Each structure stands twice: as C-alpha cells, then as structure tokens.
C-alpha cells in the first residue's frame, strides 16, 4: 500500500512539474504512463532497491539501535533509491531518451526527493504502521477467541 501511494504521488508530482500545471491532458498522461511506472517500480524495488537499502541499514545501524532508528534509515535509503531510479525512468518514459535527461535529473531530483521523503516519513509510513497495528490486533483477537472456544 505505502509503496503504491509513494509511486503514484511521485509520478503525479513529476508530471505536474514537467507541464507546469494540472489539467485533463496531464491527467491522461498520468493514466497512460502509470502502469508502466508501477510495473517498473515493482520490479526494481524488490530486486535492487530493497537489497541495497537493507545492506545500508545494516551498515549504518547497530543491533542495539531502536526499531524507529532502523525504520527511519530504511525509509531514507528506500526513498533515495526509488526516487532516483523513478526520476530517470520517468524522464525516459515521458520524453524519450535524450541528452537532457541527466541535466533535468540534477535540477529536479533534490526537490522530488524532499517532497517524497516528507510524505513518506510524515504521512505514508504512519498510516501504513497504524493499519498494520490494527490488522495484527484483529488477528490476535481472532486467535484469542479461538483459544477460548477450544477450551
């Protein structure tokens, strides 16, 4: 859930920034390219980004560090990896491969990284964690009820 919303928000932000406004044409562009971006992101994240993020978290944290510290590092490394890759891939999908892709990347990526990092840290992750707590609490309640009925 959180990664899909991250991909969608990054994609929408990049299209709006490229066109300078948001209208019907932009909405159609988003709808046309969104499946390509999602498929690309779903392949890249587990194959490449997750593995690198896990190694970096292990390198920058100790076993005695808190769960929250590890989660923050994980968010940071995942967002950096995904935003960089999706900016490059989005530029290619949206505009084709040309020499300005890398110069556009250098000017737009820091802003996109900041927006996505704030969204991920303050909105998306807390909602995802809250949902997981509720799901686990519901599952625990079902297990306890089953145990009581079994006795």
């Amino acid at each position: 859930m959180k990664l899909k919303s991250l991909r969608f928000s990054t994609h929408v932000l990049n299209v709006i920034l490229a066109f300078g406004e948001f209208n019907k044409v932009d909405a159609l562009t988003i709808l046309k390219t969104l499946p390509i971006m999602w498929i690309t992101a779903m392949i890249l994240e587990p194959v490449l980004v997750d593995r690198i993020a896990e190694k970096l978290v292990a390198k920058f944290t100790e076993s005695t560090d808190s769960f929250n510290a590890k989660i923050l590092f994980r968010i940071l490394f995942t967002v950096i990896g995904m935003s960089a890759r999706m900016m490059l891939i989005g530029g290619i999908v949206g505009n084709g491969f040309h020499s300005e892709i890398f110069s556009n990347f250098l000017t737009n990526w820091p802003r996109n990284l900041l927006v996505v990092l704030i969204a991920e840290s303050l909105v998306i992750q807390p909602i995802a964690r809250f949902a997981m707590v509720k799901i686990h609490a519901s599952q625990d309640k079902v297990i306890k009820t089953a145990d009581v009925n079994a006795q």
Side-chain angles (χ1 to χ4, degrees), residues 1-2 67-68 71 75 120-139:
M1 165 84 179
K2 77 170 181 73
F67 174 77
N68 288 336
I71 287 292
I75 291 169
E120 179 75 12
S121 299
L122 300 179
V123 178
I124 298 166
Q125 275 290 325
I127 291 170
R129 278 190 247 130
F130 177 77
M132 291 305 294
V133 165
K134 291 296 182 184
I135 289 169
H136 286 274
S138 174
Q139 290 171 345

Side-chain angles (χ1 to χ4, degrees), residues 91-109:
I92 294 168
V93 168
N95 303 319
F97 193 80
H98 56 84
S99 61
E100 293 179 8
I101 287 175
F102 297 107
S103 64
N104 290 342
F105 174 82
L106 293 174
T107 58
N108 292 333
W109 181 66

Side-chain angles (χ1 to χ4, degrees), residues 53-64:
E54 283 298 321
K55 288 179 183 176
L56 289 171
V57 168
K59 183 175 182 135
F60 286 97
T61 60
E62 300 290 329
S63 60
T64 57

